[in-house]
Amino acid sequence: GQQLNQSPQSMFIQEGEDVSMNCTSSSIFNTWLWYKQDPGEGPVLLIALYKAGELTSNGRLTAQFGITRKDSFLNISASIPSDVGIYFCAGQQDNNNDMRFGAGTRLTVKP
Amino acid sequence: DTAVSQTPKYLVTQMGNDKSIKCEQNLGHDTMYWYKQDSKKFLKIMFSYNNKELIINETVPNRFSPKSPDKAHLNLHINSLELGDSAVYFCASSQETWAQYFGPGTRLLVL
């Protein structure tokens, strides 16, 4: 299946810093989503993007659906220790239910 | 209120056994999914069910069979378990092609 290239693979930052991660693909996606997974838990939906160019915020999180429909980024501002976890991007093509995931960005926040 | 629930949370079993994992969602969604997450945290879709119809079936061994008694449940049966089946299995649900919501996962260990 179509792979999503997510970067960076891991990040180690200081509390209070801003974070940026992104996902790219060689194919067009109609939906981009960002999930966070805490240890021992299932992925939790953070932001869903349904329209090219869309910029959506959820508290300190901001995500954008790239205008080419082949990429998306997630920013976290003023990071806090509870932001620690694995962040996954996911994309859906052709309005079907087949959702593809990136490999995840592992975020560590030092107090 | 648990939106997507799975049982059991942990499952340890011997190679060759047959086991089932149950999933229930109370979101009123019409589509349910099973994902496998390997040791590197990569998420891969296995099945999805929409109105009791299997609409995605990736290259999953036929030892794995999803069964949906009704729209709110999608169980996963695994026959003749193998060592390589050890992973975390996540159930998810969505309304049509909108964002998917995940359960807490079932950690399967095959000895």
Side-chain angles (χ1 to χ4, degrees), chain B residues 60-65 77-82 85:
Chain B
V60 172
N62 58 13
R63 299 181 294 104
F64 291 80
S65 55
H77 297 274
I78 316 170
N79 294 326
S80 303
L81 278 156
E82 300 178 358
D85 296 333

Side-chain angles (χ1 to χ4, degrees), chain B residues 36-52:
Chain B
K36 180 180 180 180
Q37 187 174 47
D38 61 23
S39 58
K40 294 184 178 178
K41 304 298 184 185
F42 189 71
L43 277 160
K44 184 178 178 182
I45 192 165
M46 300 175 72
F47 303 103
S48 74
Y49 252 74
N50 184 323
N51 293 325
K52 296 194 177 185

Side-chain angles (χ1 to χ4, degrees), chain A residues 3 18 23 46-47 102:
Chain A
Q3 288 284 94
D18 297 342
C23 229
L46 298 175
I47 293 179

Side-chain angles (χ1 to χ4, degrees), chain B residues 48-96:
Chain B
S48 74
Y49 252 74
N50 184 323
N51 293 325
K52 296 194 177 185
E53 180 184 0
L54 180 67
I55 58 175
I56 298 176
N57 185 349
E58 295 287 309
T59 52
V60 172
N62 58 13
R63 299 181 294 104
F64 291 80
S65 55
K67 287 186 171 54
S68 180
D70 55 58
K71 208 170 84 163
H73 296 83
L74 183 65
N75 303 325
L76 183 65
H77 297 274
I78 316 170
N79 294 326
S80 303
L81 278 156
E82 300 178 358
L83 295 177
D85 296 333
S86 295
V88 183
Y89 292 84
F90 288 102
C91 176
S93 72
S94 72
Q95 182 59 31
E96 297 178 345

Side-chain angles (χ1 to χ4, degrees), chain A residues 5-89:
Chain A
N5 301 309
Q6 186 171 348
S7 64
Q9 190 174 20
S10 59
M11 299 183 76
F12 297 83
I13 63 169
Q14 207 69 35
E15 183 177 359
E17 289 182 2
D18 297 342
V19 172
S20 185
M21 59 192 79
N22 69 83
C23 229
T24 61
S25 171
S26 57
S27 295
I28 288 173
F29 284 84
N30 291 324
T31 303
W32 283 96
L33 306 108
W34 286 92
Y35 289 86
K36 183 194 177 197
Q37 186 176 21
D38 290 327
E41 302 294 330
V44 173
L45 181 66
L46 298 175
I47 293 179
L49 303 159
Y50 298 106
K51 196 174 173 183
E54 181 181 356
L55 182 71
T56 297
S57 292
N58 178 7
R60 293 178 296 107
L61 277 61
T62 302
Q64 183 155 32
F65 190 146
I67 198 73
T68 64
R69 294 200 281 158
K70 293 182 179 180
D71 64 315
S72 176
F73 72 73
L74 174 70
N75 288 342
I76 306 173
S77 62
S79 58
I80 58 178
S82 62
D83 290 335
V84 165
I86 303 176
Y87 292 79
F88 291 99
C89 65

